[in-house]
Amino acid sequence: MTSTDSPADRLVRSQGVTAPLGFRAAGLAAGIKKSGKPDLALVFNEGPEYAAAGVFTRNKVKAAPVLWSQQVLSGGHVRAVILNSGGANACTGPGGFQDTHATAEELAKALSNWGTETGAGEIAVCSTGLIGDRLPMDKLLPAVSEIVHEMGGGLSGGTDAAHAIMTTDTVPKEAAFHHRAKWNVGGMAKGAGMLAPSLATMLVVLTTDAVATSAQLDIALRRATRLTFDRLDVDGSCSTNDTVLLLANGASAVAPTQQELDAAVLAVCDDLAAQLMADAEGVTKRVLVTVTGAVSEDEALIGARVVARDSLVKTALFGSDPNWGRVLAAIGIAPIELDPDRISVSFNGNPVCVNGVGAPGAREVDLSGADIQVLVDLGLGEGSATIRTTDLSHGYVEENSAYSS
Amino acid sequence: MTSTDSPADRLVRSQGVTAPLGFRAAGLAAGIKKSGKPDLALVFNEGPEYAAAGVFTRNKVKAAPVLWSQQVLSGGHVRAVILNSGGANACTGPGGFQDTHATAEELAKALSNWGTETGAGEIAVCSTGLIGDRLPMDKLLPAVSEIVHEMGGGLSGGTDAAHAIMTTDTVPKEAAFHHRAKWNVGGMAKGAGMLAPSLATMLVVLTTDAVATSAQLDIALRRATRLTFDRLDVDGSCSTNDTVLLLANGASAVAPTQQELDAAVLAVCDDLAAQLMADAEGVTKRVLVTVTGAVSEDEALIGARVVARDSLVKTALFGSDPNWGRVLAAIGIAPIELDPDRISVSFNGNPVCVNGVGAPGAREVDLSGADIQVLVDLGLGEGSATIRTTDLSHGYVEENSAYSS
């Protein structure tokens, strides 16, 4: 899905939120995680503009930092994002919300002392980790002051930040898009479990030095998340903390068209979504489930999601088992229009079911590789959509039966 | 939920479809399963009446025997049910439907030769096993003739039949309800995976010697399945072959009231559903998820099902981990009315979350036993419902990644 308008456009994974001009970032170990690993990240916009847009979890149970950041983003103006791993600050009541507020206040004070007059209302806060526990504010607040002094303008600050937001992620996720007209979009992401629709559970911060209004950013961001993070579904679970933010400072002095901005943001989101899939909890297979021939794109998406979430399909793929009947059984319960006698399925391009009946050799299709494409053609219309998912493995069960203990 | 009107009513598990008067059954190994285990079962109604009702999978992809049996049941008249394991006969096209038809014809001929004039249209057919392969008719048809001669009037015939419909089940499931007024309901069930809503994927045959019309049976059956099999959800997957049949022959000459019939059928279905949960694939925990305080029973059911299907909740329970935040995250995406600040959760009666915030000692609740009750009180209204489910274990992954191989 990566879009490039000319050979001079480049997408790279070695750079993240500090790839665009005028952004600083840092990551450090505040002591929130008992492991002593990095758990606090900062992304700071040096200006001259502070336009921003955000999309948040659709879970009705929202973490304190989501409630806070939704308020901040409603103004379309963000100077900095402070992110912690090691605790979701969800289901923590009014005290948890006060902790988020205090974190923003502390950062505003530190940035002001550092020379950038900032108010708490210009600071977005993100948290990730176990639901239900209060954050250790005695450790967090001093580290918030400290991290301001750690901010670097180079690329390493961005990578440090990407490390500090990891939970069960095994690798940091960064991507940057360099437009030939000398403006850039960068991003970082975390997310390995509780990855599902309406934003695969994740924290993502995107930055750009393009000149763009909050309204333009909002269009670009919603369009990109709809096609990328919203179509990543590892385990059907949607977190309380999902947040994707896009900050723009205009430092490049280049004002791309909406279409150019859309394409660049989509390219970075698409790459980050692929990285999230590849590092999902317990993943042994990277799976693309595509439904074509639906009566609409919406119906194709519903169908692809139902197949991608089906435990029996996912365990079969873990076993490299071309058990296509489970795909038929799964799509058959999708609340969409379909004719059982017109459904055809292929695995990695090999037909396994044609018009509702098994194809010769279907049981012998080799699915032993790490990448599996499941294509379901409903044979009804022009609607198509793809969901990125993973298999359901022993590793997933192991990791998730021992997360909080 | 077992209902008994007086001490003289009895529910037992040592008897099944032949517990009522005037039913014969048998099970044998036809050679459909490569293992050589029993794979063909027959339930035969000796009359004098042949009333019947059935409910079937809501999956749009329906196996050939489902399409056949729906036609048969539309007449409300069934003399016999022939069931095979070792193959679902689903996604097998017109040829698969012809196989089902030929099976019914063969049994009709054999029963007629045996002395009971029978037409194929009076015979229901059920199949279970792998989706997508044709049945070995060269083995099945001779066995259909043979099984008529194996039918016994005693209880062992019912138990043989219950054995012959097993797939990944580890134990046969039977139950019988003896009413003090000397009429009876018996039943057998199979089902271990692909167990989900709109009939937990299963084959169930229920018999009664009560005098009852097809319309009365239909009422009793729909009421019972709504409260039992429809509320069993092991893995969210709904099969192509779900069938629950209820046959009545009036042999007791007792005509119970609708209410009495409802209660007896419910008692047997409830017990069989509990047996299915206890023997589900990979089960290490028997889990009851109850939602109370919803604005309606329907909303409570939706909420309970969402929690019961959540992979992160299920893996936590496998790990005996009282990670209640996952319950909050799960209920938060249910498409029902809720107020995050009024949700309370308890595990086995121990409060772990009160009004959306963790309760003291929540992380120390002991879930090491095999039975776990998850109670979610939404604090909004009077609606409540319970879903039976299981944990998501290594055993589930193992069993389902190697099923067809």
Side-chain angles (χ1 to χ4, degrees), chain B residues 108-123:
Chain B
K109 193 172 69 180
L111 287 171
S112 298
N113 290 342
W114 186 70
T116 303
E117 200 59 40
T118 306
E122 300 174 292
I123 292 169

Side-chain angles (χ1 to χ4, degrees), chain A residues 206-223:
Chain A
L206 304 162
T207 55
T208 180
D209 48 20
V211 176
T213 64
S214 297
Q216 289 176 304
L217 298 177
D218 192 64
I219 291 169
L221 186 60
R222 287 180 192 280
R223 182 172 175 278

Side-chain angles (χ1 to χ4, degrees), chain A residues 292-300 336-338 378 380-384:
Chain A
T292 62
V295 297
S296 69
E297 180 186 352
D298 281 352
E299 293 225 335
I336 60 174
E337 192 176 329
L338 57 79
L378 301 183
L380 299 176
E382 299 299 314
S384 74

Side-chain angles (χ1 to χ4, degrees), chain B residues 358-397:
Chain B
R363 303 267 181 239
E364 280 73 53
V365 171
D366 179 11
L367 298 182
S368 60
D371 290 285
I372 298 177
Q373 287 191 297
V374 177
L375 176 64
V376 182
D377 183 3
L378 301 183
L380 298 177
E382 300 298 315
S384 74
T386 298
I387 290 280
R388 286 184 165 108
T389 189
T390 58
D391 55 338
L392 175 52
S393 68
H394 284 304
Y396 181 87
V397 172

Side-chain angles (χ1 to χ4, degrees), chain A residues 81-216:
Chain A
V81 185
I82 183 90
L83 312 93
N84 76 273
S85 53
N89 196 8
C91 304
T92 46
F97 189 82
Q98 283 165 16
D99 291 343
T100 293
H101 187 177
T103 302
E105 288 284 2
E106 188 73 13
L107 180 59
K109 196 173 67 181
L111 287 171
S112 298
N113 288 343
W114 186 70
T116 303
E117 200 60 42
T118 306
E122 301 174 292
I123 292 169
V125 181
C126 301
S127 299
T128 180
L130 189 65
I131 296 169
D133 291 335
R134 294 283 293 274
L135 292 170
M137 297 306 287
D138 58 323
K139 293 172 180 162
L140 183 55
L141 291 182
V144 167
S145 299
E146 184 190 342
I147 199 167
V148 170
H149 301 284
E150 300 283 331
M151 287 194 302
L155 295 175
S156 66
T159 301
D160 288 348
H163 269 103
I165 59 174
M166 290 164 58
T167 52
T168 54
D169 306 69
T170 66
V171 292
K173 286 101 182 168
E174 294 186 286
F177 180 88
H178 299 288
H179 196 275
R180 64 194 182 285
K182 295 202 182 300
W183 59 277
N184 314 283
V185 177
M188 66 178 184
K190 69 79 49 179
M194 223 184 244
L195 273 176
S198 44
L199 293 192
T201 304
M202 58 178 43
L203 301 181
V204 178
V205 179
L206 304 162
T207 55
T208 180
D209 48 20
V211 176
T213 64
S214 297
Q216 289 176 304

Side-chain angles (χ1 to χ4, degrees), chain B residues 221-386:
Chain B
L221 187 60
R222 288 182 190 280
R223 181 171 175 278
T225 54
R226 189 178 79 81
L227 294 173
T228 58
F229 302 126
D230 280 356
R231 296 187 180 187
L232 174 64
D233 194 326
V234 166
D235 53 16
S237 301
C238 173
S239 101
T240 51
N241 290 58
D242 295 332
T243 303
V244 182
L245 302 175
L246 171 57
L247 315 183
N249 61 14
S252 70
V254 180
T257 65
Q258 183 72 48
Q259 194 180 355
E260 287 172 326
L261 184 66
D262 290 352
V265 173
L266 175 61
V268 172
C269 289
D270 188 54
D271 194 75
L272 289 173
Q275 293 184 51
L276 288 166
M277 171 177 68
D279 191 34
E281 287 174 346
V283 59
T284 78
K285 306 282 191 184
R286 297 178 293 261
V287 182
L288 296 181
V289 178
T290 299
V291 170
T292 62
V295 297
S296 68
E297 181 186 350
D298 282 352
E299 293 225 334
L301 187 59
I302 292 167
R305 199 182 292 286
V306 166
V307 173
R309 283 188 178 181
D310 190 86
S311 293
L312 289 166
V313 170
K314 292 163 86 81
T315 46
L317 296 179
F318 170 58
S320 303
D321 175 2
N323 192 340
W324 59 268
R326 293 180 176 179
V327 175
L328 270 282
I331 197 84
I333 52 170
I336 59 173
E337 191 174 331
L338 57 81
D339 176 348
D341 296 330
R342 295 176 77 169
I343 303 172
S344 296
V345 178
S346 70
F347 290 154
N348 289 347
N350 303 286
V352 290
C353 172
V354 177
N355 292 327
V357 181
R363 303 267 181 239
E364 280 73 53
V365 171
D366 179 11
L367 298 182
S368 60
D371 290 285
I372 298 177
Q373 287 191 297
V374 177
L375 176 64
V376 182
D377 183 3
L378 301 183
L380 298 177
E382 300 298 315
S384 74
T386 298

Side-chain angles (χ1 to χ4, degrees), chain B residues 14-27 42-47 114 147-161 174 178 184 186 207 209 249 251:
Chain B
S14 53
Q15 305 173 10
V17 291
T18 49
L21 299 172
F23 285 95
R24 289 170 180 252
L42 175 66
V43 179
F44 175 66
N45 181 355
E46 296 185 300
W114 186 70
I147 200 169
V148 170
H149 301 285
E150 299 283 330
M151 287 194 300
L155 295 174
S156 66
T159 301
D160 288 349
E174 295 185 285
H178 300 287
N184 314 282
T207 56
D209 48 21
N249 61 14

